Amino acid sequence: MPSSAYGSAPATFLHKVVAIVSLIALLHGAYSAAQHRLYLRLTEQPFSALPLDIVVQTLASLIVLCWACTHVAGAFQPIRADIANGRRSWDEVGSCLSFASFEHRAKALSPTFALDSGRAFTV
């Protein structure tokens, strides 16, 4: 199976089937845990721990599901700031105009600032 430039093999039909089967196994493990808890409640036994087969099934299906999902999701793309910002000058990179606010109370210190007579202004 050839790998891409970033080390992840392309998703095949087998990876998708493994992901679906492991998801079903994970849901089955959750259902089995709930069913075991209900059985203990009906028989009035104390809950100490889940049976080992349910724990092993849940953990194994979770690990296999994570592995299969990384192949189904595709290759990760690198974050390349030099490409995204390569066409911008240093002045454009450093300025964040979304943080600029021109409506603040320091404008009252300007000699050209005129108070509205209709509203009160406190500094």
Side-chain angles (χ1 to χ4, degrees), residues 53-116:
D53 62 335
I54 295 176
V55 173
V56 169
Q57 176 187 357
T58 305
L59 290 177
S61 61
L62 180 66
I63 290 170
V64 172
L65 180 64
C66 289
W67 173 81
C69 284
T70 58
H71 286 285
V72 171
F76 292 110
Q77 297 297 321
I79 300 173
R80 301 278 311 261
D82 58 338
I83 292 175
N85 294 327
R87 296 174 300 276
R88 296 173 67 186
S89 69
W90 180 251
D91 295 329
E92 291 174 347
V93 172
S95 68
C96 296
L97 290 179
S98 61
F99 291 110
S101 175
F102 299 105
E103 291 295 324
H104 51 82
R105 61 184 175 177
K107 67 182 177 181
L109 300 174
S110 172
T112 60
F113 180 74
L115 285 174
D116 284 343

Side-chain angles (χ1 to χ4, degrees), residues 15-32:
H15 290 122
K16 293 176 184 175
V17 169
V18 168
I20 291 171
V21 169
S22 61
L23 180 64
I24 292 171
L26 184 64
L27 292 174
H28 180 266
Y31 179 74
S32 297

